[in-house]
Amino acid sequence: MSRALIVEDEPAIAELIAIHLRHAGHEVSLAATVSEARVAVDAVLPDLVVLDWMLPGGTGLELARHWRAGARTRELPILMLTARSDETDMIAGLDAGADDYLVKPFSPGELMARIRAVLRRRAPTTLAEGQLVVGPLRLDLAARRVEVDGRPVRLGPTEFRLLQHLMAYPERVHSRAQLLDRVWGDHVFIEERTVDVHVKRLRETLAPVDAGRMIETVRGVGYRLTRERPAD
Ligand code: CA
């Protein structure tokens, strides 16, 4: 069982989310303002926060940034709720530290699927002797080797670093700007389109071993590596 904190000022939506989380076996607490949310997390560190964007006394973005900056709360899984479907806003949410976002109105099915994905991300990626393992993918950092179902695949240096980063954070949505930051480092002179080029190459290399579809395009935002190989 995990502890979920719902930060939402609209009682009907908060209660709806609470019902579904409780039904799935989570222990639920509620906060309706920025200050209530801060007090709640200071008191008990939850396993998951469902965080509304617009709140009395501030925004969910500020809260996400605040928690990401704290040593105790840095790894807190955050699912952002937003009434905005503007992709620049979604990117702002991810850049503030949300793991994922959901646009209102959403169905209970969508809500629970996103929550499961955010919680799965917490399940530790096996990191034994410098190896990352995600589903059928195995990446050996020291040997700079990648295997899919035990079969070696050859990747260029950029694709290797890209896959390494995606495998370190499976199920997490990465914006192109985040990938440029983390994979390319200083990206002042690199266009975001470059990310698409290398993702395409990585997918093409993984496609013959049936793992290309594990790298999902999140429309208008960026990319996500699924933890399991998607079914046909
Ligand atoms: Ca609100």
Side-chain angles (χ1 to χ4, degrees):
M1 186 171 75
S2 67
R3 282 186 303 265
L5 172 66
I6 301 168
V7 186
E8 166 64 79
D9 59 311
E10 291 165 67
I13 296 178
E15 196 45 47
L16 182 73
I17 297 168
I19 287 168
H20 289 288
L21 279 170
R22 288 196 192 102
H23 185 72
H26 302 280
E27 190 182 296
V28 174
S29 50
L30 299 167
T33 66
V34 164
S35 55
E36 277 181 29
R38 284 194 187 210
V39 168
V41 168
D42 286 346
V44 181
L45 190 65
D47 299 297
L48 166 77
V49 178
V50 179
L51 179 61
D52 189 29
W53 183 299
M54 296 305 288
L55 292 163
T59 65
L61 277 192
E62 293 163 27
L63 269 176
R65 280 196 203 100
H66 170 72
W67 286 328
R68 282 293 173 259
R72 177 170 164 269
T73 48
R74 187 165 293 143
E75 301 293 326
L76 193 56
I78 298 172
L79 174 66
M80 195 102 189
L81 301 181
T82 169
R84 309 154 177 238
S85 58
D86 189 330
E87 61 192 44
T88 56
D89 289 326
M90 296 174 194
I91 291 169
L94 295 172
D95 286 345
D99 292 281
D100 210 339
Y101 60 86
L102 199 54
V103 178
K104 295 176 183 177
F106 46 80
S107 71
E110 285 174 309
L111 170 72
M112 295 315 293
R114 292 270 57 88
I115 284 175
R116 278 194 299 274
V118 167
L119 289 173
R120 255 200 319 268
R121 207 203 110 225
R122 274 171 56 83
T125 301
T126 313
L127 187 54
E129 295 162 20
Q131 295 197 343
L132 287 167
V133 179
V134 176
L137 307 173
R138 176 181 295 271
L139 182 144
D140 188 319
L141 291 161
R144 317 263 325 154
R145 196 167 49 216
V146 174
E147 290 178 355
V148 181
D149 296 319
R151 284 180 286 172
V153 290
R154 296 182 68 85
L155 297 178
T158 303
E159 285 71 38
F160 184 90
R161 286 200 309 277
L162 180 60
L163 183 63
Q164 180 186 338
H165 185 72
L166 293 172
M167 287 177 71
Y169 301 97
E171 301 291 348
R172 184 161 184 168
V173 184
H174 306 267
S175 70
R176 289 172 177 81
Q178 285 175 328
L179 289 171
L180 282 175
D181 262 342
R182 314 268 157 81
V183 177
W184 278 261
D186 181 2
H187 69 266
V188 178
F189 302 109
I190 303 177
E191 290 180 57
E192 294 197 352
R193 220 174 21 176
T194 304
V195 174
D196 302 330
V197 171
H198 287 277
V199 166
K200 184 164 179 280
R201 274 189 210 152
L202 180 56
R203 277 188 181 136
E204 283 168 358
T205 310
L206 296 177
V209 283
D210 195 28
R213 284 178 304 135
M214 289 178 73
I215 303 167
E216 292 182 348
T217 301
V218 182
R219 242 182 99 173
V221 178
Y223 297 99
R224 165 185 16 231
L225 179 72
T226 61
R227 194 172 274 282
E228 303 296 334
R229 179 182 264 147
D232 285 315

Coordinates of all heavy atoms in Angstrom, one line a residue, residues 1 39 45 71 120 140 151 158 164 181 197 213 227:
M1 N 0.8 -1.2 0.0 CA 0.0 0.0 0.0 C 0.9 1.2 0.0 O 1.9 1.3 0.6 CB -0.9 0.0 1.2 CG -1.9 1.1 1.2 SD -3.1 1.0 2.6 CE -2.1 1.4 4.0
V39 N 2.4 21.6 4.5 CA 2.4 21.1 5.9 C 2.2 19.6 5.8 O 2.9 18.9 6.6 CB 1.2 21.8 6.6 CG1 0.9 21.0 7.9 CG2 1.5 23.3 6.9
L45 N 5.9 12.1 4.5 CA 6.3 12.0 3.1 C 5.4 11.0 2.3 O 5.5 9.8 2.7 CB 7.8 11.6 3.0 CG 8.5 11.8 1.7 CD1 8.5 13.3 1.2 CD2 9.8 11.2 1.7
A71 N 16.1 18.1 -0.3 CA 16.8 16.8 -0.3 C 15.8 15.7 0.0 O 15.8 14.6 -0.6 CB 17.9 16.8 0.7
R120 N 5.3 3.0 -11.0 CA 6.2 2.0 -11.5 C 7.6 2.6 -11.7 O 8.6 1.9 -11.5 CB 5.7 1.6 -12.9 CG 5.0 0.2 -12.9 CD 5.0 -0.4 -14.3 NE 4.7 0.5 -15.3 CZ 3.4 0.7 -15.8 NH1 2.4 0.1 -15.2 NH2 3.2 1.5 -16.8
D140 N 25.1 -2.1 -20.3 CA 26.3 -2.2 -19.5 C 27.1 -0.9 -19.6 O 27.7 -0.7 -20.7 CB 27.1 -3.4 -19.9 CG 28.2 -3.8 -19.0 OD1 28.9 -2.8 -18.5 OD2 28.5 -5.0 -18.7
R151 N 20.6 -10.4 -26.9 CA 21.3 -10.2 -28.2 C 21.9 -8.8 -28.3 O 21.2 -7.8 -28.0 CB 20.3 -10.4 -29.3 CG 19.9 -11.8 -29.6 CD 18.9 -11.9 -30.8 NE 17.6 -11.5 -30.3 CZ 16.6 -11.3 -31.2 NH1 16.7 -11.5 -32.5 NH2 15.4 -10.9 -30.7
T158 N 25.9 8.8 -29.1 CA 24.8 9.7 -28.7 C 23.6 8.8 -28.4 O 22.9 9.0 -27.4 CB 24.4 10.7 -29.8 OG1 25.6 11.5 -30.0 CG2 23.3 11.7 -29.3
Q164 N 20.7 5.3 -22.2 CA 21.1 5.3 -20.8 C 20.3 6.2 -20.0 O 19.8 5.8 -18.9 CB 22.6 5.7 -20.7 CG 23.1 5.6 -19.3 CD 24.5 6.2 -19.2 OE1 25.3 6.2 -20.1 NE2 24.9 6.6 -18.0
D181 N 19.5 18.9 -22.2 CA 20.3 19.2 -21.0 C 21.0 18.0 -20.5 O 22.2 18.1 -20.1 CB 19.3 19.6 -19.9 CG 19.2 21.1 -19.8 OD1 20.1 21.8 -20.3 OD2 18.2 21.6 -19.2
V197 N 16.0 13.4 -34.2 CA 16.8 12.7 -35.2 C 17.5 11.5 -34.4 O 17.5 10.3 -35.0 CB 17.9 13.6 -35.7 CG1 19.0 12.8 -36.5 CG2 17.3 14.7 -36.6
R213 N 9.4 0.2 -30.2 CA 8.2 0.8 -29.7 C 8.2 1.1 -28.2 O 7.2 1.7 -27.7 CB 7.0 -0.1 -30.1 CG 6.6 0.0 -31.5 CD 5.5 -0.9 -31.9 NE 5.8 -2.3 -31.5 CZ 5.0 -3.1 -30.9 NH1 3.8 -2.7 -30.6 NH2 5.3 -4.3 -30.6
R227 N 8.3 0.6 -19.4 CA 9.1 -0.4 -18.7 C 9.0 -1.8 -19.3 O 9.9 -2.6 -19.2 CB 8.5 -0.4 -17.2 CG 9.4 -1.1 -16.2 CD 8.9 -0.9 -14.8 NE 9.4 0.3 -14.2 CZ 10.6 0.5 -13.8 NH1 11.5 -0.5 -13.8 NH2 11.0 1.6 -13.2

